[in-house]
PDB file of all heavy atoms in Angstrom:
ATOM      1  N   MET A 262      24.532  82.147 -65.410  1.00  0.00           N
ATOM      2  CA  MET A 262      24.977  81.474 -66.630  1.00  0.00           C
ATOM      3  C   MET A 262      25.340  82.518 -67.678  1.00  0.00           C
ATOM      4  O   MET A 262      25.021  83.697 -67.527  1.00  0.00           O
ATOM      5  CB  MET A 262      23.878  80.547 -67.135  1.00  0.00           C
ATOM      6  CG  MET A 262      22.557  81.246 -67.355  1.00  0.00           C
ATOM      7  SD  MET A 262      21.266  80.077 -67.722  1.00  0.00           S
ATOM      8  CE  MET A 262      21.915  79.368 -69.222  1.00  0.00           C
ATOM      9  N   ALA A 263      25.984  82.030 -68.716  1.00  0.00           N
ATOM     10  CA  ALA A 263      26.437  82.960 -69.748  1.00  0.00           C
ATOM     11  C   ALA A 263      25.224  83.586 -70.437  1.00  0.00           C
ATOM     12  O   ALA A 263      24.274  82.900 -70.803  1.00  0.00           O
ATOM     13  CB  ALA A 263      27.303  82.227 -70.758  1.00  0.00           C
ATOM     14  N   GLU A 264      25.286  84.878 -70.607  1.00  0.00           N
ATOM     15  CA  GLU A 264      24.266  85.621 -71.334  1.00  0.00           C
ATOM     16  C   GLU A 264      24.216  85.099 -72.772  1.00  0.00           C
ATOM     17  O   GLU A 264      23.169  84.863 -73.345  1.00  0.00           O
ATOM     18  CB  GLU A 264      24.707  87.081 -71.294  1.00  0.00           C
ATOM     19  CG  GLU A 264      23.745  88.120 -71.755  1.00  0.00           C
ATOM     20  CD  GLU A 264      24.421  89.489 -71.681  1.00  0.00           C
ATOM     21  OE1 GLU A 264      25.188  89.719 -70.710  1.00  0.00           O
ATOM     22  OE2 GLU A 264      24.214  90.285 -72.584  1.00  0.00           O
ATOM     23  N   LYS A 265      25.422  84.906 -73.315  1.00  0.00           N
ATOM     24  CA  LYS A 265      25.565  84.359 -74.660  1.00  0.00           C
ATOM     25  C   LYS A 265      26.686  83.325 -74.549  1.00  0.00           C
ATOM     26  O   LYS A 265      27.839  83.697 -74.317  1.00  0.00           O
ATOM     27  CB  LYS A 265      25.967  85.499 -75.612  1.00  0.00           C
ATOM     28  CG  LYS A 265      25.556  85.280 -77.036  1.00  0.00           C
ATOM     29  CD  LYS A 265      25.813  86.535 -77.858  1.00  0.00           C
ATOM     30  CE  LYS A 265      25.630  86.242 -79.339  1.00  0.00           C
ATOM     31  NZ  LYS A 265      26.370  87.198 -80.148  1.00  0.00           N
ATOM     32  N   PRO A 266      26.347  82.042 -74.645  1.00  0.00           N
ATOM     33  CA  PRO A 266      27.388  81.026 -74.427  1.00  0.00           C
ATOM     34  C   PRO A 266      28.507  81.093 -75.473  1.00  0.00           C
ATOM     35  O   PRO A 266      28.257  81.406 -76.636  1.00  0.00           O
ATOM     36  CB  PRO A 266      26.625  79.704 -74.542  1.00  0.00           C
ATOM     37  CG  PRO A 266      25.181  80.045 -74.548  1.00  0.00           C
ATOM     38  CD  PRO A 266      25.054  81.467 -74.970  1.00  0.00           C
ATOM     39  N   CYS A 267      29.693  80.858 -75.012  1.00  0.00           N
ATOM     40  CA  CYS A 267      30.862  80.833 -75.893  1.00  0.00           C
ATOM     41  C   CYS A 267      30.649  79.794 -76.988  1.00  0.00           C
ATOM     42  O   CYS A 267      30.234  78.679 -76.722  1.00  0.00           O
ATOM     43  CB  CYS A 267      32.101  80.489 -75.060  1.00  0.00           C
ATOM     44  SG  CYS A 267      33.526  79.979 -76.024  1.00  0.00           S
ATOM     45  N   ARG A 268      30.929  80.181 -78.233  1.00  0.00           N
ATOM     46  CA  ARG A 268      30.679  79.276 -79.356  1.00  0.00           C
ATOM     47  C   ARG A 268      31.659  78.105 -79.393  1.00  0.00           C
ATOM     48  O   ARG A 268      31.344  77.031 -79.857  1.00  0.00           O
ATOM     49  CB  ARG A 268      30.732  80.037 -80.682  1.00  0.00           C
ATOM     50  CG  ARG A 268      29.335  80.397 -81.182  1.00  0.00           C
ATOM     51  CD  ARG A 268      29.381  81.324 -82.361  1.00  0.00           C
ATOM     52  NE  ARG A 268      29.910  82.636 -81.988  1.00  0.00           N
ATOM     53  CZ  ARG A 268      30.023  83.661 -82.847  1.00  0.00           C
ATOM     54  NH1 ARG A 268      29.698  83.502 -84.099  1.00  0.00           N
ATOM     55  NH2 ARG A 268      30.496  84.811 -82.439  1.00  0.00           N
ATOM     56  N   GLN A 269      32.837  78.346 -78.843  1.00  0.00           N
ATOM     57  CA  GLN A 269      33.861  77.296 -78.879  1.00  0.00           C
ATOM     58  C   GLN A 269      33.517  76.142 -77.922  1.00  0.00           C
ATOM     59  O   GLN A 269      33.615  74.986 -78.277  1.00  0.00           O
ATOM     60  CB  GLN A 269      35.226  77.907 -78.497  1.00  0.00           C
ATOM     61  CG  GLN A 269      36.360  76.908 -78.349  1.00  0.00           C
ATOM     62  CD  GLN A 269      36.815  76.344 -79.677  1.00  0.00           C
ATOM     63  OE1 GLN A 269      36.664  76.947 -80.720  1.00  0.00           O
ATOM     64  NE2 GLN A 269      37.361  75.136 -79.639  1.00  0.00           N
ATOM     65  N   CYS A 270      33.099  76.492 -76.704  1.00  0.00           N
ATOM     66  CA  CYS A 270      32.897  75.455 -75.680  1.00  0.00           C
ATOM     67  C   CYS A 270      31.425  75.263 -75.336  1.00  0.00           C
ATOM     68  O   CYS A 270      31.105  74.433 -74.483  1.00  0.00           O
ATOM     69  CB  CYS A 270      33.688  75.805 -74.422  1.00  0.00           C
ATOM     70  SG  CYS A 270      33.148  77.343 -73.670  1.00  0.00           S
ATOM     71  N   GLY A 271      30.533  76.023 -75.965  1.00  0.00           N
ATOM     72  CA  GLY A 271      29.111  75.879 -75.686  1.00  0.00           C
ATOM     73  C   GLY A 271      28.709  76.406 -74.320  1.00  0.00           C
ATOM     74  O   GLY A 271      27.643  76.072 -73.812  1.00  0.00           O
ATOM     75  N   GLY A 272      29.570  77.195 -73.684  1.00  0.00           N
ATOM     76  CA  GLY A 272      29.213  77.815 -72.406  1.00  0.00           C
ATOM     77  C   GLY A 272      29.773  77.098 -71.194  1.00  0.00           C
ATOM     78  O   GLY A 272      29.670  77.586 -70.080  1.00  0.00           O
ATOM     79  N   SER A 273      30.360  75.926 -71.412  1.00  0.00           N
ATOM     80  CA  SER A 273      30.888  75.183 -70.258  1.00  0.00           C
ATOM     81  C   SER A 273      32.181  75.797 -69.738  1.00  0.00           C
ATOM     82  O   SER A 273      32.572  75.582 -68.595  1.00  0.00           O
ATOM     83  CB  SER A 273      31.142  73.731 -70.647  1.00  0.00           C
ATOM     84  OG  SER A 273      32.215  73.672 -71.581  1.00  0.00           O
ATOM     85  N   GLY A 274      32.858  76.569 -70.587  1.00  0.00           N
ATOM     86  CA  GLY A 274      34.139  77.168 -70.177  1.00  0.00           C
ATOM     87  C   GLY A 274      35.286  76.177 -70.247  1.00  0.00           C
ATOM     88  O   GLY A 274      36.411  76.505 -69.896  1.00  0.00           O
ATOM     89  N   GLN A 275      34.967  74.942 -70.663  1.00  0.00           N
ATOM     90  CA  GLN A 275      36.006  73.917 -70.686  1.00  0.00           C
ATOM     91  C   GLN A 275      35.922  73.153 -71.999  1.00  0.00           C
ATOM     92  O   GLN A 275      34.892  73.135 -72.661  1.00  0.00           O
ATOM     93  CB  GLN A 275      35.781  72.923 -69.550  1.00  0.00           C
ATOM     94  CG  GLN A 275      35.766  73.576 -68.188  1.00  0.00           C
ATOM     95  CD  GLN A 275      35.742  72.548 -67.084  1.00  0.00           C
ATOM     96  OE1 GLN A 275      35.245  71.438 -67.256  1.00  0.00           O
ATOM     97  NE2 GLN A 275      36.293  72.898 -65.954  1.00  0.00           N
ATOM     98  N   ARG A 276      36.998  72.530 -72.339  1.00  0.00           N
ATOM     99  CA  ARG A 276      36.931  71.602 -73.453  1.00  0.00           C
ATOM    100  C   ARG A 276      37.900  70.464 -73.193  1.00  0.00           C
ATOM    101  O   ARG A 276      38.810  70.581 -72.382  1.00  0.00           O
ATOM    102  CB  ARG A 276      37.243  72.308 -74.780  1.00  0.00           C
ATOM    103  CG  ARG A 276      38.548  73.000 -74.767  1.00  0.00           C
ATOM    104  CD  ARG A 276      38.800  73.756 -76.028  1.00  0.00           C
ATOM    105  NE  ARG A 276      40.250  73.874 -76.163  1.00  0.00           N
ATOM    106  CZ  ARG A 276      40.997  73.004 -76.826  1.00  0.00           C
ATOM    107  NH1 ARG A 276      40.447  72.009 -77.468  1.00  0.00           N
ATOM    108  NH2 ARG A 276      42.301  73.158 -76.857  1.00  0.00           N
TER     109      ARG A 276
END
Side-chain angles (χ1 to χ4, degrees):
M262 55 188 299
E264 190 182 322
K265 207 172 170 203
C267 164
R268 261 171 293 182
Q269 174 72 25
C270 62
S273 68
Q275 302 188 332
R276 56 184 205 92

